Amino acid sequence: MTKNFPGNYFEDFRLGQTIRHATPRTVTVGDASLYTALYGTRFAVQSSDAFARAIGYPHAPIDDLLVFHIVFGKTVPDISLNAVANLGYANCRFLAPVYPGDTLSATSEVIGLKENSNRKTGIVYVRSTGFNDSGTPVLDYVRWVMVHKHDEKGAAPGEHVPELPKAVAAPEIGRACPALRIGAYDDALAGSAHRFAAFAPGERIDHVDGMTVEEAEHQLATRLYQNTAKVHFNQFTEGQGRFGRRLIYGGHVISLARALSFNGLANAFHVAAINGGRHVAPLFAGDTVFAWSEVLECRELPDRSDIGALRLRLVATKNRPCADFPDRSGKDYDPAVILDLDYWAVMPR
Amino acid sequence: MTKNFPGNYFEDFRLGQTIRHATPRTVTVGDASLYTALYGTRFAVQSSDAFARAIGYPHAPIDDLLVFHIVFGKTVPDISLNAVANLGYANCRFLAPVYPGDTLSATSEVIGLKENSNRKTGIVYVRSTGFNDSGTPVLDYVRWVMVHKHDEKGAAPGEHVPELPKAVAAPEIGRACPALRIGAYDDALAGSAHRFAAFAPGERIDHVDGMTVEEAEHQLATRLYQNTAKVHFNQFTEGQGRFGRRLIYGGHVISLARALSFNGLANAFHVAAINGGRHVAPLFAGDTVFAWSEVLECRELPDRSDIGALRLRLVATKNRPCADFPDRSGKDYDPAVILDLDYWAVMPR
Amino acid sequence: MTKNFPGNYFEDFRLGQTIRHATPRTVTVGDASLYTALYGTRFAVQSSDAFARAIGYPHAPIDDLLVFHIVFGKTVPDISLNAVANLGYANCRFLAPVYPGDTLSATSEVIGLKENSNRKTGIVYVRSTGFNDSGTPVLDYVRWVMVHKHDEKGAAPGEHVPELPKAVAAPEIGRACPALRIGAYDDALAGSAHRFAAFAPGERIDHVDGMTVEEAEHQLATRLYQNTAKVHFNQFTEGQGRFGRRLIYGGHVISLARALSFNGLANAFHVAAINGGRHVAPLFAGDTVFAWSEVLECRELPDRSDIGALRLRLVATKNRPCADFPDRSGKDYDPAVILDLDYWAVMPR
């Protein structure tokens, strides 16, 4: 009997099936330091225990995207080891803050299955949930991936395509953000005087700076998340593949763009939800990432006088500054665009 | 008087001499995070405080090989700064668990000396021991290195070649593993249902994945261990040397191969002893490491109903997948093989 | 209104103005581990809680230069984002020890302004101070930078050139070093028997080893310090610039040279003050750094029988070993020299 794990194929999934993923992971200040070193993130709440405590956190929480990457990483061996493509995300909600010392584990429920007409592949929809050690969900999201079938003639495991919201609804935003003493929020320390009320739909912000990515950096990051997707690490195989290069984990791009977005969105301290996103093009080592944001909506939150929510589009490019906001027209993107992310961020009012 | 330290030459060693090494080092969760980022290791016991506590550890212990590398690093300036070659290891025993916050220090006792017939070099055998801050040994091992003589005409410091066991004996295995509540060991979280009883001598396991190594990665690792061996860091000098390249620390290869071995040996959560090992060929940045394992023995341990021990060969290659188990025949190795390690791992029963 | 921050131009500064910088930062054992991985530093006091406690620290302090880099990084967006050149440092004093868990914040006071005769740029002098979370200054230093004017015809904001001491005076040295039980200082663990009394002015020490720098390493370091200077990270822009390369943060060079200096100055465990320094030439990835030191003065400190101070010149080169102490004659430096730093280190007596 083979002891190594080949990953699941399309036929191996069942609707309603719940998969408990290995490996539980205690998140620590060591992970937080590495996250800072990898992306240069500067949001005051996650950077400073003193700042976080002043406004009502017990101490600095772990960066939301670091939580996402760790939970996501756990799902890879079971869900997407035999994936052809990661097709999308939806309804990603941050549900509880995560602090150094918390242990994260993850499960995925199969909520949709659809064989492709070529019968070689199928689409698997999962709702993945991350938990802390008291069993509280800290994050959930839906992801759908195209997965190889083991055998073209194999029977398809049923068909169901779930309905997914276009955006996370306002009452669900901010659940991972405790009630804040917003009077103690110090704009100078946070890096910007532009709070919630200063933003309006349609506003575009160039985040100015560029960040060049090295192979060692994205590998360190992706291993930190215990993400085992083969394409990120193995130049021997990838060198013979479609791109001839190791492919950088899409989450690395999201974190880079989010860190760059500090320059203009310094008070958007918490990613409350991800409505959806598209990795428009691959990123490779040696490329330089730039980013810009567009304000899609400004929402007051029920029963929250401390914070409001901005729905933001975060667009990242490679090797192209964003002063003129490279975008898409219809389905066609500017060829430099690599990421188009739709998310809710929380800002002090 | 010169203040910098030139390292010891063969004539400087005395049989029975004990050397206390600099620099004591407190191991922290920061080191554990870096270890994860460098190798992508996924063993649940070391990754999760919650998992470790459930089975009887006070919290997650530090990875055994990280302990080894830190202790080893301390011995380098005194033992092998003038080494021609690192010839071998034997009888490496992990004696007590190490936790974040423990301070490690190290001593070496010279247990053997033998001048080579060319009179230019000699072989030094040391038993090196790592201690925690309460003075408890956490690790010991024998290493022998070929060291330059300062002066070809210098008198040799005596001759004695110690006898070394081929393998660490069963009663000494598992001393660093507390008595476990093995009923609480969760196979799904650990990543495999294959426990001790599932393995048999002769079984071979391909660990499938490959990991490409970058210069920045092995330098970060080797500096983290405060290992000062010159060949790993100095391209100016090494560029003019035998390989024209920086040589990657052999321990980096061991940790990479061990991390890859999770895919097939996920429950082999603790390296209990290293019987011996050979760095068959050097590894350089840009190479991709693959690995496979062979089960040599399966041993029940005296008075331990919780765990059993597998004696394993861990073979690593560069730029060659291991599906067909590239090996040696007699003294000749497949040219892709870089590591052949013989160790005891502990598994839940 | 633009939300991103363009940085300050020469006209934006006012004499006597105080700037409170973003982002406060809690320093942790994770940062300390990364610092070790980045530089391979081996000073026992910062490496070992047990060693530090034995001599009278509550536990291991954060490396002085890591504190400097974090404080410095905070000042970049406000002070030097539009800088043409970083001209100098003076009177840098380490005032209180920093421990894991302390939160660092920073302010800068504008203490000098002088427009250049071309009217395109001006020199800004600031005294920057780092504070811990109880508001105690841990570090201050003067820095002067040449900054672009926004508009050549813009009025200059006054003129004042501050007087600066050539060296920090002895009574100010050692304030960040608690009174030590120096009898418990263990030379073997520290790595050298050469204490304060063993050194004399004029002595030169070659630090022997070389360290090659990779892009990923200096980027990880500089992001860890949340330093946003554009030249370090953006190959797309820098590739079209003067050097065609990303420029390595000068502080990275200082930390590399300081870590190399352990070999000869192992007991110089604390950087107490930096008198001044010059980045003689830029460093780029792929270069190998070497270093040597010269003892300028040996000073007993008032009321301190535990420690004495050495005033040291730390000279770093690239791609050139330092056995023959490459130096300057008059204003001209050996072409390999990249750093000439004048600092006070503290040693046990």
Side-chain angles (χ1 to χ4, degrees):
Chain A
M1 180 182 186
T2 180
K3 298 290 198 315
N4 57 36
F5 183 61
N8 287 311
Y9 289 86
F10 183 62
E11 301 98 312
D12 297 325
F13 292 98
R14 291 289 170 270
L15 207 61
Q17 173 189 13
T18 294
I19 301 168
R20 296 174 66 231
H21 303 294
T23 299
R25 172 81 141 79
T26 302
V27 189
T28 69
V29 293
D31 300 312
S33 291
L34 268 162
Y35 194 82
T36 302
L38 288 162
Y39 306 109
T41 182
R42 290 183 284 149
F43 296 96
V45 171
Q46 287 77 19
S47 181
S48 165
D49 284 338
F51 190 97
R53 272 194 298 256
I55 61 170
Y57 284 89
H59 45 93
I62 293 290
D63 191 283
D64 306 297
L65 292 176
L66 175 52
V67 173
F68 178 84
H69 298 325
I70 289 177
V71 170
F72 182 91
K74 298 192 186 326
T75 70
V76 167
D78 296 313
I79 306 300
S80 52
L81 210 62
N82 298 307
V84 186
N86 202 27
L87 297 175
Y89 306 94
N91 206 23
C92 171
R93 309 173 308 163
F94 291 85
L95 301 168
V98 175
Y99 297 105
D102 288 354
T103 297
L104 298 178
S105 58
T107 64
S108 294
E109 186 190 357
V110 179
I111 61 166
L113 289 167
K114 185 178 184 339
E115 191 180 32
N116 285 318
S117 55
N118 63 12
R119 303 207 57 189
K120 291 181 181 166
T121 56
I123 300 175
V124 180
Y125 296 78
V126 292
R127 180 182 294 115
S128 298
T129 308
F131 299 91
N132 64 20
D133 27 358
S134 46
T136 304
V138 297
L139 166 73
D140 68 5
Y141 63 92
V142 174
R143 167 162 87 115
W144 54 107
V145 290
M146 190 188 304
V147 179
H148 280 293
K149 285 180 70 183
H150 204 279
D151 176 1
E152 201 173 320
K153 292 167 195 145
E159 176 161 334
H160 175 73
V161 175
E163 272 192 63
L164 297 168
K166 292 245 180 205
V168 176
E172 307 197 55
I173 297 166
R175 289 172 56 180
C177 180
L180 301 183
R181 295 185 291 269
I182 216 65
Y185 189 98
D186 183 323
D187 286 351
L189 291 181
S192 171
H194 305 294
R195 296 193 182 192
F196 178 67
F199 293 84
E203 179 170 0
R204 293 176 163 205
I205 303 163
D206 173 22
H207 301 307
V208 183
D209 294 315
M211 185 68 71
T212 305
V213 184
E214 300 295 324
E215 299 280 15
E217 294 169 358
H218 76 84
Q219 292 198 148
L220 285 168
T222 311
R223 282 187 300 241
L224 183 69
Y225 314 141
Q226 297 174 309
N227 178 329
T228 59
K230 298 162 191 285
V231 292
H232 309 316
F233 300 114
N234 184 334
Q235 183 57 33
F236 179 80
T237 302
E238 296 309 310
Q240 304 160 30
R242 180 172 156 212
F243 298 114
R245 307 286 304 275
R246 278 163 280 176
L247 194 63
I248 293 176
Y249 164 50
H252 196 68
V253 177
I254 296 175
S255 281
L256 281 167
R258 163 81 176 151
L260 290 171
S261 79
F262 179 89
N263 191 353
L265 292 168
N267 285 328
F269 67 88
H270 169 48
V271 174
I274 298 174
N275 301 310
R278 185 167 164 205
H279 294 291
V280 178
L283 181 74
F284 301 105
D287 288 335
T288 302
V289 174
F290 296 86
W292 63 275
S293 292
E294 178 177 4
V295 180
L296 299 176
E297 286 185 59
C298 303
R299 276 286 187 95
E300 299 193 6
L301 296 174
D303 303 320
R304 299 292 299 245
S305 58
D306 52 346
I307 54 170
L310 297 186
R311 186 173 170 190
L312 296 160
R313 255 183 92 205
L314 176 58
V315 179
T317 62
K318 60 181 177 187
N319 307 321
R320 185 192 190 297
C322 291
D324 62 344
F325 311 111
D327 203 350
R328 66 172 173 187
S329 54
K331 282 202 152 184
D332 294 329
Y333 277 89
D334 181 290
V337 173
I338 57 175
L339 173 75
D340 191 350
L341 190 78
D342 177 341
Y343 75 106
W344 285 106
V346 149
M347 271 209 183
R349 296 180 61 173
Chain B
M1 180 183 185
T2 180
K3 298 290 199 313
N4 58 36
F5 183 61
N8 288 311
Y9 290 86
F10 183 63
E11 302 96 314
D12 297 325
F13 293 97
R14 291 287 170 271
L15 206 61
Q17 172 189 12
T18 294
I19 300 169
R20 295 174 66 230
H21 304 294
T23 300
R25 171 83 141 77
T26 303
V27 189
T28 70
V29 292
D31 300 310
S33 291
L34 268 161
Y35 194 82
T36 302
L38 288 161
Y39 305 109
T41 183
R42 290 184 284 148
F43 296 96
V45 171
Q46 287 78 17
S47 181
S48 165
D49 283 340
F51 190 97
R53 271 194 299 257
I55 62 170
Y57 283 89
H59 46 93
I62 294 289
D63 192 282
D64 306 297
L65 293 176
L66 175 52
V67 173
F68 177 84
H69 298 325
I70 289 176
V71 170
F72 183 90
K74 296 190 186 328
T75 70
V76 166
D78 296 313
I79 305 301
S80 51
L81 210 63
N82 298 307
V84 186
N86 203 26
L87 298 175
Y89 305 94
N91 206 23
C92 173
R93 309 174 308 163
F94 290 85
L95 301 168
V98 175
Y99 298 104
D102 288 353
T103 297
L104 298 178
S105 59
T107 64
S108 294
E109 185 190 358
V110 179
I111 60 166
L113 290 168
K114 186 178 185 337
E115 192 180 33
N116 285 318
S117 55
N118 64 13
R119 302 207 57 188
K120 291 181 182 167
T121 56
I123 301 174
V124 180
Y125 297 78
V126 291
R127 179 181 295 115
S128 297
T129 308
F131 299 90
N132 64 19
D133 27 359
S134 46
T136 304
V138 297
L139 167 73
D140 68 5
Y141 62 93
V142 174
R143 168 162 85 116
W144 55 106
V145 291
M146 191 190 301
V147 179
H148 280 292
K149 283 179 71 182
H150 204 279
D151 176 1
E152 199 172 324
K153 290 168 197 146
E159 177 162 334
H160 174 74
V161 176
E163 273 192 62
L164 297 169
K166 291 244 179 206
V168 175
E172 307 196 57
I173 296 166
R175 288 173 56 179
C177 180
L180 300 183
R181 293 186 291 270
I182 216 66
Y185 189 98
D186 183 323
D187 285 351
L189 292 180
S192 171
H194 305 294
R195 297 195 182 190
F196 178 67
F199 293 83
E203 179 169 0
R204 293 177 163 202
I205 303 164
D206 172 23
H207 301 307
V208 182
D209 293 317
M211 184 69 71
T212 305
V213 183
E214 300 295 323
E215 299 279 16
E217 294 169 357
H218 76 84
Q219 292 198 148
L220 286 168
T222 312
R223 282 187 301 242
L224 183 68
Y225 314 141
Q226 297 173 310
N227 178 330
T228 59
K230 298 161 191 286
V231 292
H232 309 316
F233 301 113
N234 184 333
Q235 182 58 32
F236 178 80
T237 302
E238 296 309 310
Q240 304 160 31
R242 179 172 155 211
F243 298 113
R245 308 286 304 274
R246 279 163 277 175
L247 193 64
I248 294 176
Y249 164 50
H252 196 68
V253 177
I254 296 176
S255 280
L256 282 167
R258 163 81 176 151
L260 291 170
S261 79
F262 179 88
N263 191 353
L265 292 168
N267 286 326
F269 66 87
H270 167 49
V271 174
I274 299 174
N275 300 310
R278 185 167 163 204
H279 294 291
V280 178
L283 181 75
F284 301 105
D287 288 335
T288 303
V289 175
F290 296 85
W292 63 275
S293 291
E294 177 176 6
V295 181
L296 299 176
E297 286 185 58
C298 303
R299 276 286 186 95
E300 301 193 5
L301 296 174
D303 303 319
R304 300 292 300 246
S305 58
D306 52 347
I307 53 170
L310 297 187
R311 186 173 171 190
L312 296 160
R313 255 182 92 204
L314 176 57
V315 178
T317 61
K318 61 180 176 187
N319 307 321
R320 185 191 191 297
C322 291
D324 61 343
F325 311 110
D327 203 350
R328 67 172 173 186
S329 55
K331 283 202 150 185
D332 293 329
Y333 277 90
D334 181 291
V337 172
I338 57 175
L339 174 74
D340 191 351
L341 190 77
D342 176 342
Y343 74 106
W344 285 106
V346 148
M347 272 208 181
R349 296 181 59 173
Chain C
M1 178 182 186
T2 180
K3 298 289 199 313
N4 57 37
F5 183 62
N8 289 311
Y9 290 86
F10 183 64
E11 303 96 313
D12 298 325
F13 293 97
R14 291 289 170 270
L15 207 61
Q17 173 190 12
T18 295
I19 301 169
R20 295 175 65 230
H21 305 294
T23 301
R25 171 82 142 79
T26 302
V27 189
T28 69
V29 293
D31 300 311
S33 291
L34 268 162
Y35 194 82
T36 302
L38 287 162
Y39 306 108
T41 183
R42 289 184 285 147
F43 295 97
V45 171
Q46 287 78 18
S47 180
S48 165
D49 283 340
F51 190 97
R53 271 195 297 258
I55 61 170
Y57 284 88
H59 45 93
I62 293 290
D63 192 283
D64 306 296
L65 293 175
L66 175 53
V67 173
F68 177 85
H69 298 326
I70 288 176
V71 170
F72 182 92
K74 298 192 185 327
T75 71
V76 166
D78 297 312
I79 305 301
S80 51
L81 210 62
N82 298 307
V84 186
N86 202 27
L87 298 176
Y89 305 94
N91 205 22
C92 172
R93 308 173 310 162
F94 291 85
L95 301 169
V98 175
Y99 297 104
D102 288 353
T103 297
L104 298 179
S105 58
T107 64
S108 294
E109 186 190 358
V110 179
I111 61 166
L113 289 166
K114 185 178 185 338
E115 193 181 31
N116 285 317
S117 54
N118 63 12
R119 302 206 57 187
K120 291 180 182 167
T121 56
I123 300 174
V124 180
Y125 297 79
V126 291
R127 180 182 294 115
S128 297
T129 308
F131 299 90
N132 63 21
D133 27 0
S134 46
T136 305
V138 298
L139 167 74
D140 67 5
Y141 63 92
V142 174
R143 168 162 86 116
W144 55 107
V145 290
M146 191 189 302
V147 178
H148 280 292
K149 284 179 70 182
H150 203 280
D151 175 1
E152 200 173 324
K153 291 167 197 145
E159 177 162 333
H160 175 74
V161 176
E163 272 192 62
L164 297 169
K166 292 244 178 206
V168 176
E172 307 197 56
I173 295 165
R175 288 173 56 180
C177 179
L180 301 182
R181 293 185 293 271
I182 217 64
Y185 189 98
D186 183 323
D187 286 350
L189 292 180
S192 170
H194 304 294
R195 296 193 182 191
F196 178 67
F199 294 84
E203 180 172 359
R204 295 176 161 203
I205 303 163
D206 172 23
H207 301 307
V208 182
D209 293 318
M211 184 69 71
T212 305
V213 183
E214 301 294 323
E215 299 280 16
E217 293 168 358
H218 76 85
Q219 293 198 147
L220 287 167
T222 312
R223 282 188 300 243
L224 183 69
Y225 314 142
Q226 298 173 311
N227 178 330
T228 59
K230 298 161 191 285
V231 292
H232 309 315
F233 300 114
N234 184 333
Q235 183 58 33
F236 179 79
T237 302
E238 297 308 310
Q240 303 160 31
R242 179 172 155 213
F243 299 113
R245 308 285 303 275
R246 279 162 279 176
L247 194 62
I248 293 176
Y249 165 50
H252 195 69
V253 178
I254 296 176
S255 281
L256 281 167
R258 163 81 176 151
L260 291 171
S261 79
F262 179 88
N263 191 353
L265 292 168
N267 286 327
F269 66 88
H270 167 49
V271 174
I274 299 174
N275 301 309
R278 186 168 163 205
H279 294 291
V280 179
L283 181 73
F284 301 106
D287 288 335
T288 302
V289 175
F290 295 84
W292 63 274
S293 292
E294 177 177 4
V295 181
L296 299 176
E297 285 185 59
C298 303
R299 275 286 186 96
E300 300 194 6
L301 297 174
D303 303 320
R304 300 292 299 245
S305 58
D306 53 346
I307 53 171
L310 297 186
R311 186 174 171 191
L312 296 160
R313 256 184 92 205
L314 176 58
V315 178
T317 62
K318 60 181 177 188
N319 307 321
R320 185 193 191 295
C322 291
D324 61 344
F325 311 111
D327 204 350
R328 67 173 172 186
S329 54
K331 283 202 150 186
D332 293 330
Y333 277 90
D334 181 291
V337 172
I338 57 176
L339 172 74
D340 190 351
L341 189 78
D342 177 342
Y343 75 106
W344 284 107
V346 148
M347 271 208 182
R349 295 182 60 174

